[in-house]
Amino acid sequence: MRSLTAPEATRSNALHAGAWWLWALGLATAASRTTNPLLLGLIVGVAGYVVAARRTDAPWARSYGAFVKLALFVVAVRTLFTLVLGSSVPGTTTLLTLPELPLPEWAQGVRLGGRVTVEELVFSLYEGAKLAALLICVGAANALANPARLLKSLPGALYEAGVAVVVAMTFAPNMVADVARLRTARRLRGRPTGGVRAVLQIGLPVLEGALERSIAVAASMDARGYGRTARVPDGVRRTTNVLTLGGLLGVCAGTYGLLAAQGAGYGLPLLGVGLAAAVAGLRLGGRRAARTRYRPDRWGVRAWLVAGSGVAVAVAMIAANGSAYEALHPGVVPLVAPELPVWPAAAVLMGLAPAWLAPVPKENT
């Protein structure tokens, strides 16, 4: 039993950042395959529990709350659009009737206001909940994966884009840290921290400070020669470009197939072929990187188990679409109450594995 207990996290045994992203993307793929609010809530609960159990006090870990707020905002906007612009879902149960604005003939098919049905509102809530679950899964990856260690693990072929990656991945955590710092400073000065006026006064300094710090990190990397390349034969360079570009296109097409409603049949094979081509191209492109890596992160057994738990959730949910489609997509016309299917729910619970497998941060011991 002692060997199964997760050890305390140190620099040498910290979980690979890529494992956290694979786990989170697996949960996101599972969320994209259903509109059942009970299953979506279970996925969000699994992600939130793992974040609470394995999140550190680092600045990037504080961004999870911002993603949750953004997810709630997406649900509210999706519902508001349905109320104002209507929906393509036919409905018979009238909820309310808004004043309708007449539009010209060239805008046929679009309406502003009018009758709002219960079926339209429920459908918009289902779709908004799916988008919210996707955002929360991505937020979980941002809260658990160290962006610097993830960047350190990038293949050599991607080092030229490392500066842009640093700016993109550190902007959101820096912005969240600046928001907390400025709100604390305003509270100490006796100024309000809520309301539209406070948001407008805080917004510009937050964006400016987060961008300046991200650019400062990128500039320091550039000054240290990050992304320096070596000379390689033209044939190797062309082969690398073809494999990498073709592989990334295959990954994009395969991911779209997995996220689409009817694309699971071709999505998984295309994703596998794209990943194989991309990996081959990145290994060839790594010859251009004239650098060494100090204490590289190891992809150990725990990383395989954490990433595999997310992949298992995604595969199980994709398989459930073929055998229990009605349970994963409750009908709105006619309107039926959603039910929690047993084995898809049990499959989602496999995503809790990182809460016991990943090393425990010192803050949580």
Side-chain angles (χ1 to χ4, degrees):
M1 290 296 293
R2 183 173 300 178
S3 60
L4 298 178
T5 304
E8 182 178 334
T10 61
R11 185 177 181 86
S12 60
N13 69 352
L15 195 70
H16 199 286
W20 284 123
W21 272 100
L22 288 176
W23 167 80
L25 291 177
L27 293 183
T29 302
S32 69
R33 308 302 298 180
T34 179
T35 57
N36 189 320
L38 300 179
L39 284 175
L40 292 175
L42 186 61
I43 292 173
V44 170
V46 167
Y49 182 83
V50 174
V51 169
R54 291 299 182 264
R55 182 173 59 174
T56 65
D57 290 336
W60 62 83
R62 304 171 189 170
S63 62
Y64 182 72
F67 277 93
V68 173
K69 294 177 181 178
L70 178 61
L72 295 176
F73 177 75
V74 167
V75 175
V77 171
R78 182 70 172 82
T79 305
L80 180 62
F81 280 178
T82 299
L83 292 174
V84 176
L85 302 177
S87 175
S88 59
V89 176
T92 57
T93 307
T94 302
L95 179 65
L96 55 91
T97 302
L98 299 176
E100 186 171 358
L101 180 65
L103 298 177
E105 295 182 358
W106 55 267
Q108 293 295 329
V110 179
R111 69 175 178 87
L112 294 176
R115 187 171 68 98
V116 179
T117 64
V118 176
E119 291 83 357
E120 291 177 347
L121 187 61
V122 171
F123 178 77
S124 67
L125 289 175
Y126 285 174
E127 294 295 324
K130 180 195 291 189
L131 294 176
L134 292 173
L135 287 173
I136 289 176
C137 292
V138 174
N142 278 275
L144 294 169
N146 187 333
R149 298 178 76 91
L150 180 62
L151 180 65
K152 181 181 177 181
S153 304
L154 283 177
L158 299 180
Y159 286 151
E160 292 180 355
V163 176
V165 172
V166 167
V167 174
M169 296 195 66
T170 59
F171 180 77
N174 287 336
M175 185 174 63
V176 173
D178 285 344
V179 168
R181 178 175 55 84
L182 289 177
R183 292 187 65 183
T184 302
R186 289 179 64 88
R187 192 179 298 111
L188 292 175
R189 294 186 178 96
R191 298 180 180 179
T193 58
V196 179
R197 183 177 180 181
V199 172
L200 294 177
Q201 292 177 351
I202 293 176
L204 184 59
V206 165
L207 294 175
E208 183 180 358
L211 185 59
E212 284 183 354
R213 284 201 285 172
S214 299
I215 292 178
V217 173
S220 65
M221 294 173 60
D222 186 62
R224 291 179 175 88
Y226 188 88
R228 187 177 302 164
T229 59
R231 294 182 61 86
V232 293
D234 292 338
V236 175
R237 180 172 53 83
R238 295 191 186 96
T239 304
T240 300
N241 294 335
V242 172
L243 288 175
T244 304
L245 182 59
L248 293 179
L249 289 176
V251 169
C252 292
T255 304
Y256 175 79
L258 291 177
L259 296 178
Q262 304 295 333
Y266 70 87
L268 195 59
L270 191 58
L271 179 62
V273 174
L275 284 175
V279 168
L282 293 177
R283 288 186 65 87
L284 283 176
R287 300 179 181 179
R288 302 177 58 191
R291 68 188 295 270
T292 58
R293 187 181 302 171
Y294 176 66
R295 296 176 67 178
D297 291 341
R298 296 180 179 179
W299 189 284
V301 176
R302 296 184 185 275
W304 280 112
L305 293 175
V306 169
S309 65
V311 173
V313 173
V315 172
M317 196 63 67
I318 292 173
N321 270 266
S323 58
Y325 184 85
E326 292 78 9
L328 268 62
H329 302 272
V332 294
V333 181
L335 189 62
V336 296
E339 298 180 356
L340 184 63
V342 177
W343 77 268
V348 172
L349 293 179
M350 292 189 298
L352 289 172
W356 294 279
L357 294 174
V360 184
K362 294 182 179 180
E363 297 84 352
N364 297 349
T365 56

